[in-house]
Amino acid sequence: MKLYAPWEKAFKKVSTPFEHFLHAQTTTGMVLMLMTVLALILANTSLTEAYSHFFHTKINIAIGSWELSHSIHHWINDGLMAIFFFIIGLEIKREILVGELSNIKVAILPILAAIGGMAFPALIYSIVNYGEIGANGWGIPMATDIAFAISALVLLGKRVPVALVTFLVALAIVDDLGAVIVIAIFYTDQINMIALSLAGVAFLVMVAFNRFGIHAILPYFIIGLFMWFFMLESGVHATIAGVIAALTIPSIPKRTPASFTKDTKNLLLEYENYPAKSDHTLHEKQKTILQNLKDKIDEVGTPASRLEHDLHLPIALVIIPLFALANAGISIDFHSVGNTIMQPVALGVIAGLIFGKIIGIFGVSWLAIKLKLAKLPHNSSMSQIFGVASLGGIGFTMSIFVADLAFIGQENLIFQAKIGILAASLFAGLFGYFWLRIILKK
């Protein structure tokens, strides 16, 4: 019989479904949308000055004569977003080891589609901006926002084939990996080799932890923090440290499931041999057995899976919404929006995210299937792939992130890029959603 605190039963009726709701990708997309709208409201009302002042406020960390000083905006983009990239690294690792990318026959279609979905948007943007001041922004339309794209698909309900959702998830994971590589290679200006070498040493220490079978998370966290700092000082974007750190986190359990089952049964039998002192107090031996059982539960799981589970909510409900609040606040002069959209940067982003993604994802998928290099996801059609290709044009989070890197100190170009991202993401999301809604009804 389970014992409840006075209000626990009533609270559980509310909290349990809510927790499941929070874990859904749809929630992430909804919160992200709300924070984007809030950022736009703050940037276009009398609160705009307070909004701007808040995110430009400096936060300093000083130890003696050493000081690290950045604005709140900078701490979010370089600090908190490193945790977001850490989760991306864990997801990539999981997908490659045991997920949809572990079987090349299954993975080949989303991999090829993702490559096409990165190459064509970049090509279209480069054509539009050839010889222009904003030519460096070719990486902006390459990205797909996984939260928004999957949310739009999930909103369509059970009519969506499971394999189609899997296809989009795998595609988005490969897309994220591509974005990380582009940021690391092409959006790094000057490199401090000493700092980069120290970051490399920190990485090797974490690899050694993994090889020695260390499953405690604290040592990885401490060394990972040093690696993040050295990466920040090196000139390579600090968020890359998050992805690299994730690769070192153990993904193999210390105990096999069969061994866990056997030991658990023995412990439970032993537990029953020591009667509890009362309804509310355990026997001392029972406490020891329960602690032993907890240790074995930890051993059958992996640090990578625990971190992915534990960090999901903080990232979905705090870090990404904060990023949207700090970066989506565009002060819009509605009289000049039409003129802004026609600027090469905005036009290149819009054309890349809308047409480039459809040509890249749908076109490459169609070609791969025709050439028998890959097969359609189970119970899906090319019409549905077309809809997913459109959803791939929602480039919000990563596109804004790349725009800030591509046009450092060029606020006018960043503004044009963000206008293009918002316009293209809105169109791509609505078009993809309604296309799939009509197709799935048929």
Side-chain angles (χ1 to χ4, degrees):
M1 178 181 176
K2 185 170 180 180
L3 298 174
Y4 289 95
W7 294 344
E8 189 177 355
K9 275 189 177 181
F11 179 72
K12 274 186 173 292
K13 289 178 183 178
V14 178
S15 69
T16 305
F18 184 61
E19 285 170 3
H20 286 297
F21 176 69
L22 289 178
H23 278 86
Q25 281 290 346
T26 340
T27 312
T28 309
M30 287 179 181
V31 175
L32 198 53
M33 190 179 296
L34 286 172
M35 295 306 280
T36 303
V37 172
L38 178 60
L40 289 169
I41 290 171
L42 291 173
N44 289 279
T45 61
S46 57
L47 295 169
T48 182
E49 192 173 332
Y51 167 78
S52 179
H53 177 73
F54 174 78
F55 283 108
H56 284 89
T57 302
K58 294 280 186 180
I59 294 180
N60 305 325
I61 298 175
I63 301 174
S65 59
W66 175 84
E67 183 181 47
L68 188 62
S69 177
H70 292 295
S71 66
I72 292 175
H73 182 269
H74 198 148
W75 278 112
I76 291 170
N77 284 20
D78 280 9
L80 292 182
M81 286 298 283
I83 305 173
F84 167 71
F85 275 78
F86 179 75
I87 276 287
I88 286 177
L90 289 177
E91 289 174 347
I92 291 170
K93 186 176 181 181
R94 171 174 49 77
E95 288 295 319
I96 291 172
L97 291 176
V98 296
E100 294 304 316
L101 301 180
S102 62
N103 184 337
I104 192 62
K105 290 182 179 179
V106 177
I108 190 66
L109 185 63
I111 289 173
L112 292 175
I115 293 171
M118 290 185 283
F120 280 93
L123 179 63
I124 289 174
Y125 180 94
S126 297
I127 292 170
V128 173
N129 282 271
Y130 181 75
E132 300 286 343
I133 192 172
N136 194 44
W138 55 269
I140 299 169
M142 291 176 67
T144 293
D145 192 293
I146 188 169
F148 271 139
I150 292 174
S151 296
L153 205 56
V154 170
L155 284 172
L156 291 163
K158 293 181 179 179
R159 290 171 295 179
V160 180
V162 175
L164 195 65
V165 179
T166 304
F167 171 78
L168 178 57
V169 170
L171 184 150
I173 293 292
V174 176
D175 191 284
D176 282 340
L177 178 60
V180 168
I181 293 170
V182 166
I183 291 168
I185 297 175
F186 298 101
Y187 291 114
T188 297
D189 292 328
Q190 296 178 341
I191 297 178
N192 180 332
M193 291 307 299
I194 295 175
L196 189 62
S197 299
L198 289 171
V201 170
F203 171 70
L204 291 176
V205 170
M206 294 176 75
V207 170
F209 286 166
N210 184 310
R211 303 306 294 174
F212 280 120
I214 296 174
H215 275 219
I217 291 169
L218 185 60
Y220 292 94
F221 172 76
I222 293 170
I223 302 301
L225 205 57
F226 278 104
M227 184 167 68
W228 171 84
F229 172 72
F230 292 135
M231 198 71 82
L232 181 69
E233 295 296 305
S234 74
V236 176
H237 204 271
T239 52
I240 302 302
V243 179
I244 296 172
L247 302 180
T248 69
I249 306 299
S251 297
I252 299 173
K254 278 193 168 184
R255 185 175 294 275
T256 64
S259 168
F260 172 75
T261 302
K262 180 182 175 183
D263 291 345
T264 302
K265 285 178 179 177
N266 292 335
L267 283 171
L268 289 174
L269 287 171
E270 190 180 347
Y271 179 88
E272 291 175 352
N273 290 332
Y274 298 98
K277 293 180 179 179
S278 69
D279 288 342
H280 304 281
T281 309
L282 292 171
H283 191 284
E284 288 304 316
K285 288 284 187 180
Q286 286 179 317
K287 292 179 183 178
T288 304
I289 291 168
L290 288 176
Q291 182 58 50
N292 196 351
L293 186 60
K294 180 181 179 299
D295 292 341
K296 284 178 169 48
I297 290 170
D298 288 340
E299 288 174 358
V300 80
T302 67
S305 62
R306 286 201 299 275
L307 281 170
E308 198 171 346
H309 178 268
D310 293 343
L311 290 175
H312 178 267
L313 279 184
I315 288 172
L317 300 180
V318 178
I319 293 175
I320 296 301
L322 266 177
F323 174 82
L325 187 63
N327 291 275
I330 308 167
S331 183
I332 303 172
D333 179 0
F334 291 96
H335 296 292
S336 62
V337 167
N339 183 51
T340 301
I341 285 179
M342 295 310 295
Q343 295 300 312
V345 169
L347 203 58
V349 169
I350 292 170
L353 283 173
I354 294 175
F355 302 111
K357 285 290 183 182
I358 289 176
I359 294 169
I361 296 172
F362 175 77
V364 170
S365 295
W366 178 85
L367 190 61
I369 290 165
K370 285 293 180 184
L371 294 175
K372 300 190 184 304
L373 297 174
K375 290 192 288 188
L376 264 174
H378 184 62
N379 281 341
S380 60
S381 65
M382 285 309 301
S383 296
Q384 292 169 7
I385 296 292
F386 184 86
V388 167
S390 179
L391 293 180
I394 307 174
F396 190 78
T397 307
M398 198 70 84
S399 291
I400 289 177
F401 192 81
V402 174
D404 284 331
L405 295 178
F407 303 132
I408 294 173
Q410 298 172 289
E411 294 301 321
N412 186 44
L413 296 183
I414 292 175
F415 172 74
Q416 291 175 27
K418 288 182 178 180
I419 287 289
I421 292 164
L422 289 174
S425 297
L426 182 62
F427 177 85
L430 290 174
F431 180 81
Y433 172 82
F434 285 109
W435 174 274
L436 285 169
R437 189 180 177 90
I438 293 167
I439 291 298
L440 290 168
K441 274 186 178 178
K442 292 179 181 179

